[in-house]
């Protein structure tokens, strides 16, 4: 007779594993990945591959030779970091910048804190913001999706940058819309006919992935939906006060990596709060900060900074937003 | 309307594969070994000696104090002596060993199949019968029933809640009792109500046992003041505090007893035993046990005499299946792993579950990714990831402060953890260690 296992309860385990959760995130990003390949062609394939491979390789090397621990690339978390980092980059970024971004994301964003689970900031965003600050020109020269390319325009600004630039020149929103080459149609932003990072352009593909993540119970609705609500509330109020200076909330929702950030980056387990109450505070903060930066800051886009800023506040949120004890005596 | 508790909980695959196996009597033979301690509290005091002839249902060990319970012989035969016998976990405890000779019952026990519907007994009579019969809670904790039914001074019992949730995967013995002994069960409920002077009773049943809900709803028409409540299948629906919350909406205050909400919770099998004790004069010496497992040849729901060796039950169900990884007494979420197959059954044994090696395997633990699934799954509103870490570091003061005492050890946190962290294992350890620091609030 074989030996029986003697261990404490529970004796069965659920369906979740770190690897499965990471694999689901990768599957959820697939529609957006296909959209990126479709709009930006081979350039996008190149950036995505370089980013994923260098993230995995850097994680392996650091664990193996610097930390001398068993490499855990099998859990697929480095693949997710690489994929999300590449989604945040313009598709025409030189390959060596992608490699440096990956090194910063994995090395500084993740491994210096002790690897998966210990990092206070979203690694992919650490990589992205590093590149944005170090090489602002390359990072904000957006190639236009292939169908918008004309002989004299292969690169262009993002819709948010066009608005920012126009407002600086003293134009009203309507004047900017009228004078710009860009159509400002919502259908275009929904399907991806805009300039931008390679993963952010197709809102519909990203939302498809969101539905998948919800169905598979990888994430809950709390963070993304509160971000959207807070953005709509805040930018909507401003729009109602002065529609000439503040563009409508739908535009804010569909541009600037809002959906990519809210669904795939703000929800990063490690760097988001532990309770649903906390998640709502965190989401509301991200929405508010994003709009503040977009409208009043010097950068046209604020999602990355807002998420990183709120990441820093997460320990504080966890401290005050505790779950309510069953039968707590007041 | 289907009721449930909101906070936390998980829903593991139900695997109620033995649900259609009718209750079946297992004939006693050979030697039975009956522990003198089968309940929480002081062990009972043996009152028989080697060579004594005993009848089925005869008192063989007397309750020693208030928090204790009588123990009766489950067979007729000759007492072989008192030995130290290893229990399920291999821990040796004194047991009365009896050689089975025939099956002659005590004359006072009513063995007829007729249902006794007489509800004229007084509260004191009912309680006396329950005490006499050595009843203990059969839901797992084996707390003496007469102690549970003793309402503290200044408190009143408003409602009896019967736990028919059977939220643990695999288990089906309560289900079978609800189907086959419906009317007896309802009479048992009426007796419990009378014993504590409550005027309302609820029987909470998960909707995965719709046939039991229908059966009891149909029968309850003839018995006033019993409401059958449909519950959402969700673990731990049958946890005492969760059940009260689901049915009445009331939360048992932290560190208080359920009576604070005016409710007394009783298990299905216990309630059936109340009927037998009061109406049939039958002490608690047999109980229903589910024998189940995916690879087991036949699924069984047995009525087993206390003290029958486990191996006999296993043989009766076609022997131990191939590639058994673990044998569990109780459900897969809160049961205990069995290491000794010769151990005798207890009053509180509810099931023997065979888990395959694959099911029993725990994954290798990896870093906590702070996914917060354990926080969302905790039905008590605790932060398992944090308690786990504190227990690992033996930080008892902090554990106390983070309310480790409230943990009901249901295992939802570990079940849901993607990093396979031994959360509840460490929390259990930390809770035991921190308990000495925990004093009751004024």
């Amino acid at each position: 007779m074989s030996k029986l296992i003697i261990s404490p309860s529970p004796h069965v385990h659920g369906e979740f594993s770190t690897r499965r959760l990471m694999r689901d995130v990768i599957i959820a990003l697939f529609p957006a990945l296909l959209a990126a390949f479709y709009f930006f062609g081979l350039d996008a394939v190149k950036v995505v591959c370089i980013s994923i491979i260098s993230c995995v390789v850097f994680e392996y090397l650091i664990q193996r030779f610097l930390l001398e621990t068993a490499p855990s690339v099998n859990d697929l978390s480095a693949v997710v970091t690489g994929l999300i980092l590449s989604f945040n980059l313009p598709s025409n970024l030189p390959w060596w910048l992608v490699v440096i971004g990956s090194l910063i994301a994995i090395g500084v964003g993740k491994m210096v804190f002790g690897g998966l689970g210990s990092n206070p900031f979203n690694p992919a965003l650490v990589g992205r913001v590093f590149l944005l600050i170090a090489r602002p020109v390359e990072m904000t020269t957006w190639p236009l999706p292939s169908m918008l390319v004309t002989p004299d325009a292969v690169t262009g600004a993002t819709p948010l940058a066009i608005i920012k630039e126009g407002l600086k020149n003293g134009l009203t929103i309507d004047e900017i819309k009228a004078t710009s080459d860009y159509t400002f149609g919502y259908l275009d932003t929904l399907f991806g006919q805009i300039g931008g990072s390679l993963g952010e352009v197709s809102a519909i593909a990203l939302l498809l992935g969101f539905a998948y993540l919800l169905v598979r119970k990888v994430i809950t609705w709390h963070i993304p939906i509160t971000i959207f609500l807070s953005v709509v509330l805040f930018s909507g109020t401003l729009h109602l006060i002065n529609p000439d200076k503040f563009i409508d909330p739908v535009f804010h929702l569909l541009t600037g990596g809002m959906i990519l950030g809210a669904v795939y980056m703000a929800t990063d387990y490690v760097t988001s709060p532990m309770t649903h109450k906390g998640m709502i505070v965190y989401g509301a903060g991200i929405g508010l900060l994003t709009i503040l930066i977009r409208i009043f800051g010097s950068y046209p886009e604020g999602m990355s900074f807002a998420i990183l800023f709120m990441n820093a506040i997460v320990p504080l949120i966890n401290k005050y937003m505790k779950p309510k004890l069953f039968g707590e005596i007041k | 309307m289907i009721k449930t508790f909101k906070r936390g909980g998980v829903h593991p695959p139900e695997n109620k594969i033995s649900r259609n196996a009718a209750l079946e009597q297992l004939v006693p033979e050979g030697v039975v070994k009956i522990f003198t301690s089968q309940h929480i509290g002081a062990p009972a005091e043996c009152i028989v000696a080697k060579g004594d002839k005993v009848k089925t249902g005869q008192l063989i060990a007397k309750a020693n104090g208030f928090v204790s319970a009588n123990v009766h012989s489950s067979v007729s035969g000759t007492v072989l002596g008192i030995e130290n016998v290893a229990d399920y976990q291999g821990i040796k405890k004194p047991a009365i060993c009896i050689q089975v000779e025939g099956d002659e019952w005590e004359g006072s026990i009513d063995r007829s199949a007729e249902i006794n519907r007489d509800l004229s007994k007084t509260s004191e009579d009912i309680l006396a019968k329950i005490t006499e019969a050595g009843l203990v809670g059969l839901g797992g904790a084996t707390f003496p029933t007469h102690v549970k039914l003793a309402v503290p001074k200044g408190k009143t019992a408003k409602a009896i809640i019967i736990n028919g949730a059977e939220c643990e995967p695999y288990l089906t013995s309560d289900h079978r009792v609800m189907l086959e002994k419906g009317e007896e069960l309802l009479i048992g409920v009426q007796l419990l109500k009378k014993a504590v002077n409550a005027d309302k009773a609820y029987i909470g049943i998960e909707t995965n046992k719709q046939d039991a809900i229908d059966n009891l709803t149909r029968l309850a028409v003839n018995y006033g003041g019993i409401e059958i409540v449909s519950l959402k299948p969700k673990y731990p629906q049958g946890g005492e505090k969760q059940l009260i919350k689901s049915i009445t909406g009331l939360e048992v205050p932290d560190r208080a007893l359920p009576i604070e909400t005016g409710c007394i919770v009783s298990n299905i099998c216990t309630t059936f035993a109340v009927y037998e004790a009061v109406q049939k004069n039958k002490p608690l010496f047999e109980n229903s046990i589910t024998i189940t497992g995916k690879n087991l040849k036949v699924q069984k729901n047995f009525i087993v005499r206390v003290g029958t060796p486990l191996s006999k039950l296993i043989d009766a169900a076609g022997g131990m299946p191939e590639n058994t990884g673990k044998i569990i007494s109780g459900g897969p979420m809160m049961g205990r792993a069995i290491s000794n197959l010769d151990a005798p059954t207890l009053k509180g044994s509810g099931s023997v579950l065979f888990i395959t090696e694959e099911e029993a395997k725990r994954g290798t633990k990896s870093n906590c990714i702070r996914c917060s699934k354990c926080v969302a799954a905790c039905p008590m509103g605790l932060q398992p990831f944090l308690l786990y870490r504190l227990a690992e570091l033996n930080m008892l003061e902090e554990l106390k402060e983070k309310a480790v005492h409230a943990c009901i050890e249901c295992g939802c946190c570990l079940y849901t953890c993607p990093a396979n962290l031994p959360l509840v294992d460490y929390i259990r350890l930390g809770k035991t260690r921190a308990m000495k620091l925990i004093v009751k609030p004024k």
Side-chain angles (χ1 to χ4, degrees):
Chain A
M1 195 184 83
S2 61
K3 283 189 178 143
L4 292 174
I5 302 168
I6 307 296
S7 63
S9 62
H11 307 287
V12 287
H13 197 270
E15 68 220 282
F16 294 116
S17 71
T18 305
R19 192 182 152 87
R20 194 200 107 158
L21 294 171
M22 294 297 166
R23 196 178 54 213
D24 274 345
V25 175
I26 296 169
I27 293 171
L29 285 169
F30 239 86
L33 189 65
L34 291 179
F37 290 167
Y38 176 72
F39 290 126
F40 298 112
L42 268 181
D43 281 352
V45 179
K46 211 174 72 189
V47 170
V48 170
C49 290
I50 294 172
S51 173
I52 292 178
I53 292 170
S54 31
C55 277
V56 172
V57 168
F58 283 130
E59 175 155 312
Y60 180 85
L61 293 177
I62 292 172
Q63 284 185 321
R64 181 85 206 279
F65 297 106
L66 274 179
L67 300 177
E68 295 179 357
T69 53
S72 59
V73 288
N74 262 341
D75 64 22
L76 298 180
S77 65
V79 177
V80 171
T81 304
L83 194 55
I84 290 183
L85 174 65
S86 68
F87 272 35
N88 279 291
L89 303 174
S91 60
N92 57 350
L93 198 69
W95 67 268
W96 55 275
L97 275 177
V98 181
V99 174
I100 290 176
S102 305
L103 179 63
I104 298 295
I106 292 292
V108 178
K110 188 173 168 190
M111 300 319 285
V112 286
F113 296 103
L116 182 63
S118 308
N119 48 305
F121 298 105
N122 186 317
L125 281 179
V126 171
R128 188 212 170 194
V129 167
F130 174 82
L131 290 177
L132 186 65
I133 294 168
R135 309 292 293 198
V137 177
E138 285 94 333
M139 282 294 285
T140 48
T141 311
W142 312 98
L144 289 172
S146 48
M147 49 282 296
L148 298 185
V149 171
T150 54
D152 46 68
V154 283
T155 60
T158 61
L160 277 170
I162 296 170
I163 296 287
K164 188 121 211 166
E165 190 61 31
L167 288 172
K168 215 157 66 182
N169 296 336
L171 301 172
T172 66
I173 297 286
D174 285 333
E175 284 166 355
I176 299 168
K177 282 187 181 176
T179 53
S180 166
D181 293 339
Y182 180 60
T183 56
F184 286 95
Y186 292 139
L187 275 181
D188 289 346
T189 39
L190 205 53
F191 289 103
Q193 324 270 64
I194 54 170
S197 298
L198 67 87
E200 72 175 279
V201 292
S202 173
I204 205 104
L206 290 166
L207 288 174
L208 217 68
F210 180 31
Y212 178 78
L213 290 180
L214 286 181
V215 169
R216 295 281 286 174
K217 295 189 178 154
V218 176
I219 59 170
T220 58
W221 59 269
H222 300 83
I223 296 175
I225 298 297
T226 29
I227 293 179
F228 296 150
L229 279 178
S230 133
V231 163
V232 168
L233 262 170
F234 190 42
S235 63
T237 314
L238 289 175
H239 178 67
L240 285 179
I241 293 170
N242 187 355
D244 283 343
K245 278 195 72 97
F246 306 109
I247 199 159
D248 59 295
V250 183
F251 176 81
H252 276 295
L253 275 188
L254 294 174
T255 55
M258 171 62 68
I259 297 168
L260 179 67
V263 177
Y264 301 92
M265 297 194 284
T267 56
D268 171 34
Y269 288 142
V270 185
T271 56
S272 62
M274 299 296 283
T275 61
H276 293 161
K277 260 188 300 187
M279 288 175 187
I280 287 169
V281 173
Y282 170 81
I286 291 176
L288 196 74
L289 281 174
T290 306
I291 298 302
L292 271 179
I293 298 170
R294 280 184 182 183
I295 293 177
F296 303 107
S298 55
Y299 281 96
E301 307 190 7
M303 199 67 196
S304 313
F305 295 110
I307 295 176
L308 285 174
F309 186 82
M310 289 309 286
N311 281 168
I313 298 178
V314 163
L316 204 64
I317 295 177
N318 281 338
K319 187 170 166 155
Y320 291 105
M321 297 287 153
K322 279 184 275 200
K324 190 178 157 278
L325 184 68
F326 189 102
E328 190 163 21
I329 312 160
K330 293 207 180 75
Chain B
M1 197 187 73
I2 297 169
K3 293 188 170 178
T4 189
F5 63 100
K6 278 218 183 77
R7 189 178 321 147
V10 293
H11 187 218
E14 288 167 10
N15 285 322
K16 304 266 191 192
I17 41 187
S18 54
R19 61 184 302 154
N20 292 322
L23 288 168
E24 207 174 303
Q25 192 84 37
L26 196 69
V27 186
E29 53 184 15
V31 178
V32 298
K33 297 171 179 175
I34 304 167
F35 287 117
T36 54
S37 173
Q38 304 191 35
H39 46 261
I40 288 180
E45 222 170 67
C46 181
I47 56 165
V48 289
K50 189 176 171 182
D52 282 3
K53 293 276 178 200
V54 293
K55 288 178 184 172
T56 308
Q58 184 181 329
L59 185 69
I60 54 174
K62 229 172 131 53
N64 194 1
F66 183 59
V67 186
S68 182
N70 286 339
V71 176
H72 301 78
S73 175
S74 60
V75 294
S76 65
T78 313
V79 177
L80 297 175
I82 301 170
E83 284 171 34
N84 274 330
V85 174
D87 69 1
Y88 286 171
Q89 271 83 43
I91 299 163
K92 290 197 168 176
K93 289 189 283 189
I96 300 164
C97 303
I98 302 167
Q99 176 69 48
V100 180
E101 290 153 6
D103 192 20
E104 191 190 338
W105 288 37
E106 270 293 25
S108 55
I109 304 171
D110 174 6
R111 293 187 72 178
S112 68
E114 209 173 302
I115 296 173
N116 181 352
R117 295 185 178 83
D118 170 34
L119 287 171
S120 61
K121 291 190 187 65
T122 63
S123 170
E124 288 74 28
D125 281 350
I126 296 169
L127 282 173
K129 290 263 189 199
I130 288 172
T131 316
E132 173 57 37
L135 253 59
V136 300
L138 300 178
T142 65
F143 192 69
T145 307
H146 64 272
V147 183
K148 192 168 191 171
L149 295 179
V151 181
K153 274 209 182 84
K155 310 271 183 241
T156 45
K158 293 188 202 90
I160 289 280
I161 291 181
I162 308 296
N163 177 8
E166 207 163 43
C167 58
E168 279 263 16
Y170 287 103
L171 309 193
T172 56
S173 54
D174 285 354
H175 185 189
R176 291 314 305 179
V177 171
M178 287 189 277
L179 282 180
E180 295 177 40
K181 312 276 185 191
E183 188 150 16
E184 290 92 325
L185 198 61
L186 295 179
I187 297 169
V189 177
Q190 298 296 59
L191 293 170
L192 281 174
K193 266 164 62 182
K194 205 157 181 188
V196 298
N197 296 313
D199 40 45
K200 184 85 191 147
Y202 303 91
I203 306 180
I205 307 170
E206 285 189 352
T207 51
N208 56 9
K209 293 176 273 292
Q210 193 57 45
D211 46 356
I213 298 175
D214 295 343
N215 184 40
L216 293 183
T217 310
R218 184 174 55 81
L219 293 168
V221 177
N222 304 322
Y223 295 91
I226 300 181
E227 190 183 324
I228 314 296
V229 183
S230 297
L231 300 172
K232 185 180 167 193
K234 179 175 168 185
Y235 176 86
Q237 188 71 264
E240 198 168 45
K241 292 179 172 180
Q242 278 68 36
L243 191 67
I244 294 174
K245 173 87 181 171
S246 293
I247 291 179
T248 67
L250 300 170
E251 273 189 21
V252 179
D254 185 32
R255 301 189 209 200
L257 291 170
I259 191 70
E260 289 294 324
T261 59
C263 298
I264 292 179
V265 179
S266 176
N267 161 275
I268 288 288
C269 288
T270 317
T271 310
F272 177 65
V274 166
Y275 163 82
E276 289 199 310
V278 179
Q279 306 293 79
K280 297 280 190 179
N281 256 326
K282 186 181 154 201
L284 181 60
F285 59 76
E286 60 181 10
N287 53 351
S288 54
I289 300 185
T290 306
I291 315 280
T292 184
K294 280 180 186 156
N295 289 343
L296 201 65
K297 285 203 188 71
V298 270
Q299 309 293 324
K300 292 279 189 188
N301 290 297
F302 281 127
I303 293 180
V304 182
R305 300 288 172 89
V306 170
T308 308
L310 263 184
S311 51
K312 191 147 285 167
L313 270 74
I314 298 170
D315 290 343
M320 186 153 84
E322 295 256 326
N323 79 352
T324 297
K326 207 185 233 181
I327 305 178
I328 299 158
S329 163
M333 294 300 287
M334 277 192 87
R336 288 175 165 217
I338 298 173
S339 62
N340 175 17
L341 297 183
D342 297 320
T345 61
L346 306 161
K347 285 180 186 177
S349 304
S351 75
V352 181
L353 169 60
F354 295 84
I355 295 274
T356 60
E357 264 169 67
E358 229 153 86
E359 281 177 288
K361 209 177 231 163
R362 275 201 192 174
T364 25
K365 69 171 195 177
S366 52
N367 284 2
C368 171
I369 55 170
R370 304 176 69 80
C371 65
S372 77
K373 288 192 187 297
C374 58
V375 179
C378 182
M380 297 307 289
L382 300 171
Q383 303 178 75
F385 74 100
L386 187 60
L387 297 177
Y388 159 74
R389 192 79 184 110
L390 293 173
E392 212 179 28
L393 298 171
N394 207 22
M395 294 168 76
L396 303 182
E397 276 295 334
E398 287 77 4
L399 275 172
K400 178 189 155 192
E401 196 185 305
K402 303 281 183 230
V404 71
H405 65 272
C407 173
I408 56 170
E409 303 176 22
C410 63
C412 288
C413 51
L414 202 161
Y415 178 83
T416 193
C417 180
N420 290 311
L421 294 172
L423 295 165
V424 72
D425 301 2
Y426 270 96
I427 296 172
R428 200 181 276 130
L429 185 72
K431 182 176 152 187
T432 317
R433 285 179 176 163
M435 269 310 181
K436 57 176 179 276
L437 300 177
I438 295 169
V439 277
K440 288 213 160 194
K442 272 165 240 148

